[in-house]
C-alpha cells in the first residue's frame, strides 16, 4: 500500500492508454489544472454516476481551467464501451497493472460487508499547472462528489 499524496507533493508522472489505445501523459496537460480521479470499475452504478457527473460538469470545469482524467484498472476496450454507452466526454485511462493508481495512494485495503480486501480506493487528486498536488481526497463518495469539488474550488 502506497503513501497518500499531500498538498505540495509533486504529482507522480504517468503515461497510460486511453479508451482508444492512445497514450496520454500527465505532462500533456502542463499549464492546466488537472482533476485525476480513480474509480474501481467502468460500467458499475457508482462509477457510472461519478463519470456522468464529471461529464455533465465538464464545460464548467474546463472553463475554470481544469481538465478531467478518470483512471481505472479496466482495459481500453472496456473503457471504450463505457464511454459509448454513457456518452462520456472525459478522458478515461486504463491502468490494469494499477501502478499509477498505487503511486497516487488510491489502491489499498478496503472493507465491504465485513470483508477486508485490496482494491481501488475512490479518490480524486487535483494537480496544479506546475504538476504539484493542490488537493488529495481519498475514500470519496461517487454521489455528490463532483458538486463538492466545484463548491470547494469556488467554481
Amino acid at each position: 500500500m502506497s503513501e497518500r499524496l499531500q498538498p505540495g507533493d509533486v504529482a507522480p508522472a504517468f503515461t497510460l492508454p486511453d479508451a482508444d489505445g492512445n497514450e496520454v501523459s500527465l505532462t500533456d496537460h502542463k499549464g492546466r489544472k488537472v482533476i485525476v480521479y480513480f474509480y474501481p470499475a467502468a460500467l458499475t452504478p457508482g462509477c457510472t454516476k461519478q463519470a456522468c457527473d464529471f461529464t455533465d460538469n465538464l464545460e464548467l470545469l474546463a472553463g475554470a481551467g481544469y481538465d478531467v482524467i478518470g483512471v481505472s484498472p479496466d482495459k481500453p476496450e472496456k473503457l471504450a464501451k463505457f464511454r459509448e454507452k454513457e456518452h462520456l466526454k472525459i478522458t478515461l485511462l486504463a491502468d490494469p497493472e494499477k501502478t499509477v493508481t498505487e503511486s497516487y495512494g488510491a489502491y489499498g485495503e478496503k472493507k465491504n460487508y465485513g470483508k477486508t480486501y485490496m482494491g481501488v480506493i475512490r479518490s480524486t487528486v487535483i494537480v496544479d499547472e506546475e504538476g504539484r498536488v493542490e488537493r488529495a481526497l481519498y475514500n470519496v463518495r461517487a454521489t455528490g462528489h463532483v458538486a463538492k469539488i466545484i463548491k470547494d474550488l469556488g467554481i
Side-chain angles (χ1 to χ4, degrees), residues 67-78:
D67 294 335
V68 178
I69 297 174
V71 180
S72 76
D74 299 302
K75 296 208 176 335
E77 302 76 34
K78 186 173 179 188

Side-chain angles (χ1 to χ4, degrees), residues 94-149:
D95 185 21
E97 306 298 316
K98 299 177 206 65
T99 48
V100 174
T101 304
E102 284 185 34
S103 72
Y104 274 74
Y107 184 82
E109 205 171 85
K110 294 172 68 166
K111 285 186 172 55
N112 198 9
Y113 301 114
K115 285 194 164 100
T116 302
Y117 61 97
M118 296 300 281
V120 175
I121 298 162
R122 193 179 302 279
S123 309
T124 301
V125 176
I126 300 171
V127 180
D128 70 15
E129 301 91 336
E130 301 301 311
R132 292 200 170 275
V133 175
E134 192 175 293
R135 293 167 193 244
L137 311 162
Y138 294 96
N139 294 310
V140 300
R141 297 244 169 261
T143 305
H145 179 58
V146 176
K148 183 181 180 339
I149 288 173

Side-chain angles (χ1 to χ4, degrees), residues 14 23-36 65-69 91 93 127-131:
F14 62 78
E23 303 254 298
V24 175
S25 299
L26 182 59
T27 54
D28 297 343
H29 298 268
K30 197 144 180 76
R32 289 191 51 87
K33 294 184 178 203
V34 187
I35 297 170
V36 184
Y66 291 89
D67 294 335
V68 178
I69 297 174
T91 301
L93 300 183
V127 180
D128 70 15
E129 301 91 336
E130 301 301 311

